[in-house]
């Protein structure tokens, strides 16, 4: 099969995009794919993004003004490239990203591996939030002795975090 | 470098693994980024140097050396043809090659693992094993991850997990994929239904692409799509459960084909074998299709005297880069086709037909 762009070289890059359940395919040689640059390489995710945001013009302006204070990437740039500029972008675009992440990933909240050197603190925090949940349940069910025990455990863990 | 090129076949192509009548290989990838360095779209020369320095430092630590022998290669020091072969061998991605001025790869000498540096993420740890061995593959990737992490601070967030340049990888950064050969499901027309069911449970299916656009050689790559909100274990388990079903369905379909369509299937297999044994020129795509038929013939016991791994092997050694390396010069596309036909004829020379 020949490249759709130049119709000379054999197609080596095959892209599939699905918009509104309609599937279309693109077949490009390596050179043409390269020339199309980031846009073609990312275009399926990019299209997905635009579908997911699906906002009106007013909202666009609000989003576009957001900028990562660490790397300087704007939301508009992110939207164009489909990729974030640095780890801090996750904070600066937090609200919008949560919205997209929920759709891309289904649910939020990492429950997997934690780097060993920082695992201690995080697992304590995970424990605290579990205990808080249990504390609320026991108050709700009027089991106050149990609630007091949970409260003490939380306090102890919080102290441990402060050290 | 030369050893990776000269050794045409990685272990995953030469060896059988569990359930290898259906599952050709199991691959796991972990996407990781270094804290404080910009992500791919904003990567600078200075940050690239820091990335490679940190990776080199991590490689010199005992933790990693205990896992095997690793070598760091900058892509710009590798010839274009050799890079192409590394792509055909799945040791680097086409993207890593296309940005070769700024990228590097850490290769494990048995080729079961590699770490791509400065791809879409700073580090992509990849492991590949023959047959259905997702856990083995993940365990090695996980150990390499642990060793790197001993000296490298990863970009990590409590709520979002490992932070990646693209939102589709955030969380575990884990992409697990299994390559399956399912000719009987294709022949019996069940493949579409099965694949759409797989997609509905949140997995992605891709065909193995030859020169054309269609999935060739009845090969499909099935992988997890979601990386956040589930643990590594849950992700692997979900994929494993689905693959187990695919294996069962394919085996049932093969039995069905033998019982009810024997003449059709024999005809198909022997015709393909005939073409491969006598053709003087063959395109990459046709070669893949015919070899898939021959592989089915081997699996069904009709063809003997040759390893079932012929399919995995020929996927690599009939690639343009490898063929060119064998010829030791630039080849035109006609020459590729005749060279390819010749290699296949030689490779199939010992085949025995069950009459
Ligand atoms: Zn082209
Ligand atoms: Zn940023």
């Amino acid at each position: 099969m020949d490249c759709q762009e130049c119709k000379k070289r054999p197609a080596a890059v095959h892209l599939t995009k699905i918009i509104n359940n309609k599937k279309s395919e693109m077949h490009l040689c390596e050179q043409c794919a390269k020339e199309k640059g980031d846009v073609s390489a990312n275009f399926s995710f990019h299209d997905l993004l635009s579908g997911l945001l699906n906002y009106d013009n007013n909202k666009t302006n609000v989003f576009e003004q957001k900028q990562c204070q660490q790397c300087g990437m704007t939301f508009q740039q992110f939207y164009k490239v489909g990729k974030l500029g640095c780890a801090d972008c996750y904070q600066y675009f937090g609200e919008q990203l949560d919205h997209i992440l929920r759709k891309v990933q289904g649910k939020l909240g990492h429950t997997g591996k934690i780097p060993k050197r920082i695992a201690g603190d995080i697992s304590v925090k995970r424990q605290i939030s579990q205990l808080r949940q249990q504390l609320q349940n026991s108050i709700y069910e009027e089991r106050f002795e149990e609630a007091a025990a949970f409260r003490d455990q939380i306090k102890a863990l919080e102290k441990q975090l402060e050290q | 470098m030369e050893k990776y090129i000269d050794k045409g076949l990685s272990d995953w192509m030469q060896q059988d693994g569990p359930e290898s009548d259906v599952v050709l290989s199991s691959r796991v990838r972990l996407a990781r980024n270094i804290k404080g360095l910009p992500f791919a779209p904003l990567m600078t020369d200075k940050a690239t140097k820091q990335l490679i320095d940190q990776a080199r430092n991590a490689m010199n630590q005992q933790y990693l050396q205990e896992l095997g022998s690793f070598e760091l290669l900058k892509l710009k020091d590798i010839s274009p043809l050799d890079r192409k072969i590394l792509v055909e061998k799945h040791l680097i991605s086409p993207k890593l090659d296309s940005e070769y001025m700024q990228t590097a790869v850490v290769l494990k000498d048995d080729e079961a693992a590699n770490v791509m540096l400065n791809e879409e993420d700073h580090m992509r740890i990849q492991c590949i094993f023959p047959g259905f061995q997702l856990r083995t593959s993940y365990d090695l990737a996980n150990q390499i991850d642990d060793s790197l992490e001993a000296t490298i601070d990863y970009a990590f967030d409590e709520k979002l997990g490992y932070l990646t340049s693209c939102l589709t990888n955030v969380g575990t950064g884990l992409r697990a994929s299994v390559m399956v050969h399912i000719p009987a499901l294709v022949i019996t027309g069940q493949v579409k239904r099965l694949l759409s069911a797989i997609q509905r449970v949140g997995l992605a299916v891709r065909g193995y692409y030859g020169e054309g656009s269609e999935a060739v050689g009845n090969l499909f790559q099935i992988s997890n799509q979601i990386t956040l909100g589930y643990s590594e274990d849950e992700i692997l388990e979900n994929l494993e459960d689905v693959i187990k079903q695919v294996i069962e369905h394919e085996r049932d379909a093969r039995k069905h084909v033998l019982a009810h369509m024997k003449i059709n299937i024999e005809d198909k297999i022997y015709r393909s074998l005939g073409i491969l044994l006598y053709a003087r020129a063959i395109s990459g795509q046709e070669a893949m299709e015919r070899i898939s038929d021959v592989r089915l013939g081997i699996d069904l016991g009709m063809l003997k005297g040759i390893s079932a791994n012929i399919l995995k092997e020929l996927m690599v050694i009939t690639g343009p880069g490898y063929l060119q390396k064998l010829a030791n010069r630039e080849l035109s596309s006609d020459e590729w086709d005749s060279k390819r036909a010749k290699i296949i004829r030689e490779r199939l020379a010992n085949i025995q037909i069950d009459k």
Side-chain angles (χ1 to χ4, degrees):
Chain A
M1 162 174 269
D2 286 338
C3 168
Q4 282 178 352
E5 217 28 50
C6 65
K7 301 192 168 60
K8 279 191 304 212
R9 292 175 288 266
V13 179
H14 308 280
L15 301 161
T16 307
K17 61 173 172 176
I18 300 169
I19 305 170
N20 299 331
N21 285 328
K22 256 193 251 155
K23 194 170 130 184
S24 64
E25 287 179 346
M26 262 178 102
H27 310 289
L28 304 170
C29 68
E30 273 168 30
Q31 201 167 324
C32 292
K34 232 177 267 177
E35 277 161 17
K36 293 214 140 209
D38 267 353
V39 182
S40 72
N42 302 320
F43 88 119
S44 65
F45 184 66
H46 176 253
D47 288 334
L48 189 70
L49 260 186
S50 60
L52 291 177
L53 288 170
N54 205 11
Y55 43 66
D56 58 44
N57 283 334
N58 293 332
K59 272 191 191 157
T60 314
N61 290 332
V62 180
F63 282 179
E64 283 174 357
Q65 280 161 14
K66 285 242 176 179
Q67 188 177 20
C68 172
Q69 298 303 304
Q70 177 62 32
C71 71
M73 182 172 270
T74 62
F75 193 78
Q76 192 184 19
Q77 281 170 325
F78 161 65
Y79 173 71
K80 244 187 219 156
V81 203
K83 292 194 181 116
L84 296 165
C86 77
D88 289 350
C89 288
Y90 278 95
Q91 278 169 28
Y92 289 103
F93 304 137
E95 214 179 296
Q96 286 81 29
L97 291 191
D98 277 1
H99 176 71
I100 305 167
L101 272 172
R102 230 179 282 273
K103 295 196 177 180
V104 173
Q105 297 279 2
K107 57 178 182 176
L108 300 183
H110 178 61
T111 57
K113 185 175 179 179
I114 301 168
K116 281 206 178 87
R117 279 185 291 136
I118 57 170
D121 272 6
I122 294 178
S123 73
V124 172
K125 284 183 194 163
R126 274 190 191 174
Q127 245 175 302
I128 292 176
S129 80
Q130 267 173 7
L131 285 167
R132 285 218 176 95
Q133 192 62 49
Q134 285 171 309
L135 174 65
Q136 287 217 316
N137 288 344
S138 50
I139 292 174
Y140 185 74
E141 288 160 16
E142 300 185 357
R143 286 179 277 120
F144 296 112
E145 245 169 78
E146 207 181 276
F150 286 136
R151 184 202 56 207
D152 293 345
Q153 285 177 41
I154 293 170
K155 270 192 186 155
L157 287 173
E158 278 172 345
K159 227 181 210 162
Q160 193 183 319
L161 268 187
E162 280 164 24
Q163 284 161 6
Chain B
M1 178 60 221
E2 279 307 311
K3 70 179 176 223
Y4 301 104
I5 299 301
D6 292 342
K7 185 177 162 197
L9 307 174
S10 307
D11 290 343
W12 71 269
M13 297 167 214
Q14 281 175 313
Q15 287 168 6
D16 272 342
E19 327 296 345
S20 61
D21 55 332
V22 180
V23 180
L24 299 198
S25 61
S26 304
R27 185 155 37 150
V28 156
R29 177 263 270 162
L30 296 173
R32 299 289 186 255
N33 288 281
I34 298 180
K35 197 172 167 179
L37 297 185
F39 285 166
L42 301 176
M43 202 61 184
T44 59
D45 287 351
K46 193 175 149 224
T48 298
K49 198 182 166 298
Q50 285 177 22
L51 163 63
I52 293 175
D53 285 349
Q54 288 209 36
R56 189 170 273 130
N57 174 42
M59 278 177 59
N60 292 331
Q61 306 292 320
Q62 204 189 337
Y63 320 103
L64 197 68
Q65 285 167 2
E66 277 168 8
L67 296 174
S69 156
F70 291 84
E71 188 181 355
L72 189 149
L73 299 158
K74 289 186 181 175
L75 262 74
K76 66 172 194 280
D77 298 334
I78 305 175
S79 77
L81 180 55
D82 286 355
R83 292 201 312 265
K84 197 169 189 168
I85 293 173
L86 292 179
V87 173
E88 287 170 9
K89 291 184 75 177
H90 296 269
L91 290 174
I92 61 172
S93 67
K95 183 174 159 60
L96 198 79
D97 177 32
S98 73
E99 278 150 39
Y100 68 94
M101 287 306 288
Q102 307 294 337
T103 56
V105 64
V106 176
L107 294 169
K108 187 166 185 283
D109 61 355
D110 64 0
E111 302 180 7
N114 59 70
V115 184
M116 292 192 276
L117 302 177
N118 229 4
E119 220 249 18
E120 188 182 292
D121 292 296
H122 295 148
M123 304 190 163
R124 286 200 156 175
I125 304 164
Q126 288 204 97
C127 294
I128 184 163
F129 279 81
F132 194 22
Q133 299 195 69
L134 273 176
R135 297 286 165 162
T136 315
S137 202
Y138 175 73
D139 287 345
L140 179 58
N142 192 32
Q143 286 176 44
I144 294 173
D145 185 42
D146 284 344
S147 334
L148 295 175
E149 181 212 288
T151 58
I152 294 172
D153 284 327
Y154 284 147
F156 184 87
D157 178 82
E158 223 179 299
K159 290 194 186 68
L160 293 175
Y162 293 91
L163 301 177
T164 52
S165 180
C166 187
L167 298 180
T168 53
N169 298 313
V170 77
T172 56
L174 168 66
R175 185 88 59 219
S177 70
V178 172
M179 188 164 26
V180 294
H181 182 234
I182 47 175
L185 287 172
V186 175
I187 295 164
T188 55
Q190 297 177 75
V191 75
K192 272 202 179 128
R193 231 180 54 219
L194 182 78
L195 298 184
S196 79
I198 290 174
Q199 279 162 334
R200 274 203 299 276
V201 297
L203 299 176
V205 184
R206 276 194 72 210
Y208 184 89
Y209 297 103
E211 289 167 7
S213 61
E214 289 293 297
V216 293
N218 304 313
L219 291 169
F220 294 87
Q221 188 104 235
I222 303 173
S223 57
N224 67 304
Q225 215 158 12
I226 287 167
T227 55
L228 177 65
Y230 296 88
S231 68
E232 288 79 2
D233 203 49
E234 289 168 326
I235 291 170
L236 293 172
E237 199 179 295
N238 181 30
L239 183 58
E240 279 173 340
D241 286 348
V242 168
I243 299 297
K244 279 179 201 157
Q245 292 185 45
V246 173
I247 295 170
E248 247 171 68
H249 283 299
E250 170 64 18
R251 284 178 184 159
D252 285 349
R254 287 181 191 181
K255 277 184 208 145
H256 176 89
V257 159
L258 274 182
H260 303 285
M261 306 164 67
K262 187 145 195 242
I263 189 74
N264 312 55
I265 199 69
E266 276 182 342
D267 186 58
K268 189 172 162 63
I269 291 168
Y270 287 117
R271 276 171 187 271
S272 287
L273 179 62
I275 288 171
L276 292 175
L277 285 175
Y278 297 103
R280 260 38 190 177
I282 192 162
S283 73
Q285 175 153 353
E286 187 183 3
M288 288 293 295
E289 280 163 18
R290 304 293 175 194
I291 294 162
S292 164
D293 290 344
V294 166
R295 164 79 207 241
L296 179 62
I298 297 169
D299 286 336
L300 295 178
M302 291 176 193
L303 304 174
K304 298 207 166 69
I306 189 159
S307 156
N309 288 315
I310 179 92
L311 178 59
K312 284 189 280 183
E313 234 182 272
L314 289 178
M315 268 161 55
V316 171
I317 65 173
T318 62
Y322 202 81
L323 289 177
Q324 206 159 305
K325 187 79 183 181
L326 285 177
N328 220 350
R329 63 184 171 85
E330 281 271 323
L331 292 172
S332 72
S333 98
D334 286 351
E335 285 177 310
W336 276 340
D337 289 353
S338 76
K339 190 103 193 153
R340 183 179 291 117
K342 186 162 178 282
I343 288 181
I344 295 171
R345 286 201 308 274
E346 287 166 2
R347 202 57 198 74
L348 293 177
N350 295 324
I351 206 156
Q352 292 152 19
I353 296 166
D354 191 36
K355 282 184 182 141

